[in-house]
Amino acid sequence: PAYYGVYIYALGLRNGDGAMPLWKRATGWFSAILFIAIGLIFANAMSLIENVKGWPALWQQHSVHGAALGTATNVGDPQLWPRWLLMFGLALGTTAAWIAFDAAWFARREKPEYRRWAKGFAWKLYALSVVWFAGVGSWYVFATWPQDIRQTMFHMPWVVLTVVTAIAPGLPLLLLWLASRREADIGRGLAALVGLAQFGVLGVNAAARQVVQHFEIQPYYDITSQPVKLELSPL
């Protein structure tokens, strides 16, 4: 429903005269709410994986004669909310990077006004993403990480990954700012660099997340003993 709602909304934008039926506009907003909810469900499941101490209580509260009902949520875990909001901040940055990429590669038939708007809006949206990422990331790291995890991630060798993860969004932001200063439209080469830089931001965040997950689960289960089956499609 979320994806089809976006298609309906996009077709409404193609009317050209600016008048969109109310139901199509409402469908677009409804799709946005659904995607945000999907992100919350995903973050809930991923944070629950690491909240091993909370499993017994959740199972007892959400089972009948040993049969799990599937209704348990991890909303009581203090890590859930910053992790979900961190995902949202990264999504804002990805949206900004895509706007710049789209304007350079796929919007040549659009009006010049749109490409000028995209050039200015993309870097402003990414700046908001960086501020969001820094604020929520600080909340997540300094307020919810256990002391032993923080100790590990802020000492060699893992402090390198921690620092790179923290500063990585600065590169796409710099590229988008440089693009906004140009008199001409965003060039395809510069837009491609923005896309690659954002791909790197997501990649390094995924790597850091996997490392932290390993250390959090390690007292209960040795993930490294399992064979590696590389799966790049989620990235």
Side-chain angles (χ1 to χ4, degrees):
Y3 277 115
Y4 280 111
V6 170
Y7 294 142
I8 292 170
Y9 182 80
L11 289 173
L13 289 175
R14 289 182 177 273
N15 288 339
D17 56 3
M20 183 189 299
L22 182 61
W23 72 273
K24 288 187 177 181
R25 190 173 297 278
T27 300
W29 282 104
F30 183 64
S31 293
I33 294 171
L34 287 180
F35 279 121
I36 292 172
I38 290 167
L40 177 60
I41 294 169
F42 184 82
N44 173 83
M46 296 304 292
S47 60
L48 182 58
I49 288 176
E50 295 151 27
N51 187 20
V52 181
K53 291 180 180 179
W55 292 1
L58 285 175
W59 176 71
Q60 290 177 350
Q61 296 166 10
H62 297 272
S63 65
V64 176
H65 301 298
L69 298 175
T71 55
T73 60
N74 198 41
V75 293
D77 185 352
Q79 285 196 2
L80 168 61
W81 303 108
R83 287 186 65 179
W84 173 52
L85 293 173
L86 202 58
M87 287 175 56
F88 189 80
L90 289 169
L92 289 177
T94 302
T95 302
W98 174 256
I99 289 172
F101 191 86
D102 174 69
W105 286 83
F106 303 121
R108 289 301 176 184
R109 295 183 180 179
E110 298 287 347
K111 296 179 180 178
E113 291 81 7
Y114 167 74
R115 291 195 293 274
R116 284 197 298 270
W117 170 86
K119 185 173 61 173
F121 182 76
W123 96 266
K124 293 175 184 176
L125 181 60
Y126 205 97
L128 172 63
S129 168
V130 169
V131 173
W132 188 297
F133 178 82
V136 177
S138 298
W139 172 21
Y140 171 56
V141 170
F142 296 108
T144 70
W145 272 6
Q147 181 62 34
D148 57 334
I149 299 295
R150 198 156 54 241
Q151 186 81 6
T152 301
M153 296 304 294
F154 279 91
H155 286 81
M156 290 296 292
W158 298 113
V159 66
V160 176
L161 179 60
T162 302
V163 171
V164 170
T165 304
I167 66 174
L171 179 56
L173 178 63
L174 175 62
L175 293 172
L176 286 170
W177 179 78
L178 291 174
S180 72
R181 306 286 292 179
R182 288 163 50 103
E183 291 293 332
D185 292 339
I186 301 174
R188 287 191 167 188
L190 185 55
L193 286 177
V194 170
L196 287 173
Q198 181 62 14
F199 188 83
V201 169
L202 298 178
V204 74
N205 271 272
R209 184 59 242 152
Q210 288 293 104
V211 169
V212 173
Q213 183 182 67
H214 163 65
F215 287 127
E216 289 183 327
I217 298 179
Q218 194 175 37
Y220 308 95
Y221 186 75
D222 183 15
I223 298 177
T224 60
S225 65
Q226 296 300 308
V228 175
K229 297 180 180 178
L230 187 63
E231 181 61 68
L232 294 177
S233 61
L235 180 61

